[in-house]
Amino acid sequence: AIKQEIEVPAFGKTSVPTGLFINNQWVESSDSNSFSTINPATGEQFLNFAHATKVDVDTAVTAARKAFKTTWGMNVASTERAALLFKLADLMEKDAAKIAALESLNSGKGIRIARDADVADSVACLRYYAGLADKLHGQTINHFGKEKFVYTLHQPIGVCGQIIPWNYPLLMWAWKVAPAVAAGCCVIIKPSELTPLTALYLCDLVVEAGFPAGVINVLPGLGATTGDAISRHMDIDKVAFTGSVPTGRRIAIAAAESNLKKVTLELGGKSPMLIFDSADIEEAAAWVAMGIWFNSGQDCCASSRVYVQEAIYEKFLTALKAKAEACAIGNPADEATSFGPLISEGQRDKVLAYIESGRQAGARVLTGGQKWPQSGGGYWVEPTILADVKADMKAVKEEIFGPVIVAASFKTEEEALELANNTEYGLAAAVFTNDARQATRVTAALDAGTVWCNQYALLHAGVPFGGFKQSGIGRELGTYGLDAYTQVKAVHQNL
Ligand code: NAD
């Protein structure tokens, strides 16, 4: 079915879209297949979504290509693209309470956070790129003198495939769709098979805002089928992906093996926090706690590796433990809840296995370490600290993507940097110190695309985001994020 009814907290019985959104229309899957999703707070099955096939991907690409050549791309004024994005942002803001309720229901995040962070930040991202849409400029260059000159055009790349994960379903939708559409691209976006609900819900708002058919298409489906068909499609010009490193690698290979489409990858992380002995312990603990326990640790820049200078190690851990035990664990539908369940049974078990491997390898479980006792059928894992860890432990080397901090002490700045940079990842890092020269040295030496000093996890649509090393290729957000959806043409004139 292209629409189904569900019970939404505070809204009662609500009809939600569950079909494919192609060319501004709701359609069934070409082979009538579907997949189901689970409510992570209860473990109960809650909706069936149409599964987009390779044929459906073809249909969406045809619609997107047609729009790109006729009603979008270079056929529409940039001010018109801006106006449509502003309109969509207004519609989302008006409908924020319901969108947040659906996001909370599908992903398990607390309703207040879904509304005040996920929806609000998505609206802000749309507005940021609406504001940038008419500020794309080229250059004029006259190296050749006389009547010859060169100008550059920043043209939209074309039809873009976008593949997103389940941890921030709505925000990742905004990070992908807003810059692409602002630049004049048409998109085919595949939400995660675990959390397709809000990306689909927004489609009716896309139509209401007045976007021409084919500009924004949403195809729910599995990674290995729908995602792979997008990555391999010969008429998709670019694929933008957020998710795990192994999947990023697969997508890069598929892109290379097909039409060598452009690729941007936002992948995982294992972000180091360096706490030096001049730092304010309470303040540092509060930022680290927020960085790991926000979204129950399911965050690519989770503050998951903590290194503390010897003299303050135990004191810092005591402060952090108090914050772990103060997390507002509970039902996502409650305003007070800040710590919801993990997304799935598989993710819950994976996180518990990492904790167990740390325990077996000699880590000290300072707090947490198990399922939340009141989980019922839901997938909660307690906020957990593994202390006294060693660099070769699995829980230290690999991304856990759950509410687990690993912690160890260090003696010198040199040792701290060595520990911090001893990873394949390079998404984010932080340094806590009251020594300004040390802050300048250490921030420069950390291998990461984002480095925070005496704070953590503050993001803004205007600030570039992306990874060093295996944490990704390219940057999203800011003007870099807009550039990533354009290509530069140098026009040599001889008039
Ligand atoms: P995942 O890589 O399994 O899935 C992400 C998306 O890719 C989903 O939509 C999935 O259907 C799709 N996919 C899976 N296999 C595919 C294939 N062969 N071809 C094309 N698409 C395919 O990741 P996940 O489990 O959803 O998310 C968790 C991981 O994502 C973590 O490792 C986390 O660090 C990372 N992540 C990174 C960022 C970032 O901004 N860097 C943000 C969120 C999550």
Side-chain angles (χ1 to χ4, degrees), residues 289 292-298 320-321 323-330 339-342 347-349 351-356 359 365-375 378-386 400-406:
I292 185 75
W293 293 311
F294 188 81
N295 218 37
S296 305
Q298 304 171 112
L320 193 62
K321 179 170 182 267
K323 310 245 176 276
E325 289 163 5
C327 280
I329 310 181
F339 190 100
L342 301 186
Q347 190 68 16
R348 193 254 335 258
D349 293 346
V351 172
L352 290 172
Y354 272 113
I355 295 172
E356 192 48 36
R359 208 193 302 260
V365 183
L366 196 61
T367 186
Q370 54 179 8
K371 289 181 200 172
W372 181 47
Q374 293 155 61
S375 292
Y379 306 130
W380 280 265
V381 173
E382 291 177 336
T384 299
I385 303 173
L386 299 179
I400 298 177
F401 223 62
V404 183
I405 277 198
V406 298

Side-chain angles (χ1 to χ4, degrees), residues 187-261:
V187 302
I188 291 144
I189 184 160
K190 189 197 88 60
S192 164
E193 56 272 39
L194 301 176
T195 54
L197 185 53
T198 42
L200 290 172
Y201 182 80
L202 293 178
C203 295
D204 286 335
L205 303 187
V206 164
V207 175
E208 195 182 337
F211 279 90
V215 175
I216 298 174
N217 305 277
V218 183
L219 298 185
L222 306 184
T225 46
T226 319
D228 190 63
I230 290 172
S231 315
R232 287 185 190 279
H233 204 283
M234 293 301 286
D235 198 31
I236 289 183
D237 303 299
K238 166 180 172 144
V239 63
F241 170 71
T242 296
S244 63
V245 171
T247 303
R249 207 182 297 280
R250 261 180 230 123
I251 288 173
I253 291 170
E257 284 176 349
S258 53
N259 59 344
L260 211 59
K261 56 178 68 61

